[in-house]
Amino acid sequence: MHTDDLSPLRPRLPSPLEPVEDERFARRGLTLLLKRDDLIHPDLPGNKWRKLAPNLRAAAGRPVLTFGGAYSNHLRATAAAGRLLGFPTIGVVRGDELAGRPLNPSLARCAADGMRLEFVDRATYRAKHEPAVLAALLGRAPEGTYVVPEGGSNALAAEGCAALGRELEGRADVAAVACGTGGTLAGLAAGFGGRTLGVPVLKGGFLGGEVRGLQEAAFGGPRGDWWLDERFHCGGYGRTTPELDAFAQDFEARHGLAIERLYVAKMLLALVSLAEADSFAPGSVVAAVITGSRDQSVSSR
C-alpha cells in the first residue's frame, strides 16, 4: 500500500458532530456539540489522523522518524500507520533511563507495531531540532528517512487540521481543542470562521508563539480568531488531579462517553468553567473537539 493514497484505511470523514444536553450550558442559553474526531480511525484517531495524513503522503512510503515521550499518543499513531501501510518507523523517546526497563503499555504497543525505539537523554531530546543532533539520529536510520516533528506538528499538519475548521464552519460559533504542540489549533483556527479556544495541557506559556509560527509556515501569516486559556493544565503534561478525575467521571455519567484524561478532560473542564462564568454570549453554539477517547489510551498517567 502506498502512503500517498490513504483511502484504503477508510477514515470516517467528516467526523460526527453530536449535540449533547448539558444543563450547565443550556441554562445559559448555550448549545454544546461534541466533534467526534476520536471516531475517525481506531488506530489513528482525531488530530493524529489529521496531522499525520499529509505527512504520510509527503513521506510516500519512506521510513518515518519521529519523537515523543514515554506515553506519546503520537508515537503510537505513527507506529500503527507504519504497520497498516507497510513502512518502517523509528521513535526517538525522551529519557535514556527507560532503555533498561520493561516497556510501558504505550511503548510496548509501538514496538509490537514494528517501531524501532531509540531512547535518548533529555538534553539530547531538547536539542533534537539542532542540525548536528538530527544528523546523528538520521545517520542511524535508513537512507531517505522522512522526519516528522514531535506531536506531528508542522506546516503540513496545520494545513491538514484546517479541514477540521471547515467541517465546523457554519455549525458552531466557538470551537475548543486541547493543545500539546499547537498544530491542531493552528489549523483549526485557520479553517474556522468563528472563535477558537486552545486549552494547553502543558505549563510554560510558550504555546502562543508556537501556534503563530506554525500559521506563518503553513499559511503565510496569522489566521483566525483564536485565544489560549492556560489555567486548566492541572499541573502540566501527563498530570491529572483528583478534581479533574471527578469532573471527568461526572461528565462520563452525564453523557455516556469515556473521557480521555490528559487532553480531552482538561478542555471540557475549561469549557464548563467558562460557561459557568458567562464567558460565552447567550445563544452561542460551542463545539468541543474530542481528539481521543479513554478507550484509545493505554495510559492513565
Side-chain angles (χ1 to χ4, degrees):
M1 188 183 298
H2 297 291
T3 53
D4 54 355
D5 178 15
L6 306 184
S7 59
L9 295 183
R10 299 183 179 179
R12 186 177 181 183
L13 291 171
S15 60
L17 186 62
E18 301 175 350
V20 293
E21 296 294 330
D22 193 308
E23 71 273 12
R24 295 169 293 189
F25 292 81
R27 64 173 174 257
R28 292 171 172 82
L30 306 173
T31 299
L32 177 64
L33 306 177
L34 302 183
K35 179 62 168 165
R36 296 294 305 276
D37 265 21
D38 58 308
L39 300 178
I40 291 176
H41 192 278
D43 292 306
L44 287 81
N47 59 347
K48 303 309 173 195
W49 173 276
R50 295 189 188 273
K51 292 196 289 186
L52 271 176
N55 277 288
L56 295 182
R57 293 189 182 99
R62 289 178 286 162
V64 169
L65 180 146
T66 194
F67 306 85
Y71 292 88
S72 170
N73 290 327
H74 167 68
L75 287 183
R76 286 175 47 217
T78 304
R83 169 176 56 83
L84 293 166
L85 295 169
F87 63 87
T89 57
I90 303 100
V92 180
V93 184
R94 180 179 60 246
D96 58 344
E97 74 278 3
L98 301 172
R101 301 178 184 175
L103 297 178
N104 67 37
S106 184
L107 293 178
R109 182 172 296 180
C110 291
D113 280 342
M115 176 173 274
R116 193 187 88 203
L117 301 173
E118 182 166 345
F119 299 91
V120 299
D121 63 80
R122 292 166 191 275
T124 300
Y125 192 89
R126 286 193 297 271
K128 58 187 175 294
H129 300 303
E130 295 182 6
V133 173
L134 188 55
L137 292 169
L138 288 173
R140 299 190 290 272
E143 185 176 356
T145 292
Y146 181 86
V147 177
V148 177
E150 182 179 35
S153 289
N154 57 10
L156 286 175
E159 292 169 8
C161 290
L164 170 59
R166 292 191 291 270
E167 290 174 23
L168 290 170
E169 182 64 25
R171 310 286 300 277
D173 303 296
V174 178
V177 68
C179 302
T181 52
T184 305
L185 175 60
L188 169 58
F192 180 54
R195 302 188 70 210
T196 307
L197 167 64
V199 180
V201 302
L202 295 84
K203 297 189 292 184
F206 63 89
L207 198 62
E210 295 292 320
V211 174
R212 287 188 288 272
L214 286 164
Q215 289 197 330
E216 176 70 32
F219 311 113
R223 291 291 186 276
D225 178 10
W226 58 270
W227 85 104
L228 297 172
D229 193 323
E230 308 211 22
R231 297 176 294 167
F232 299 95
H233 55 69
C234 299
Y237 180 71
R239 297 180 182 271
T240 62
T241 64
E243 293 76 16
L244 179 70
D245 197 53
F247 167 82
Q249 289 176 0
D250 176 71
F251 198 95
E252 290 171 337
R254 290 171 184 261
H255 303 300
L257 174 67
I259 299 299
E260 189 273 329
R261 298 300 198 259
L262 303 186
Y263 287 87
V264 175
K266 296 176 181 182
M267 178 270 298
L268 292 171
L269 175 61
L271 283 183
V272 170
S273 300
L274 289 168
E276 291 178 335
D278 296 318
S279 298
F280 303 120
S284 295
V285 177
V286 180
V289 180
I290 309 300
T291 50
S293 76
R294 200 172 191 189
D295 294 338
Q296 292 161 334
S297 175
V298 296
S299 168
S300 61
R301 280 181 83 225

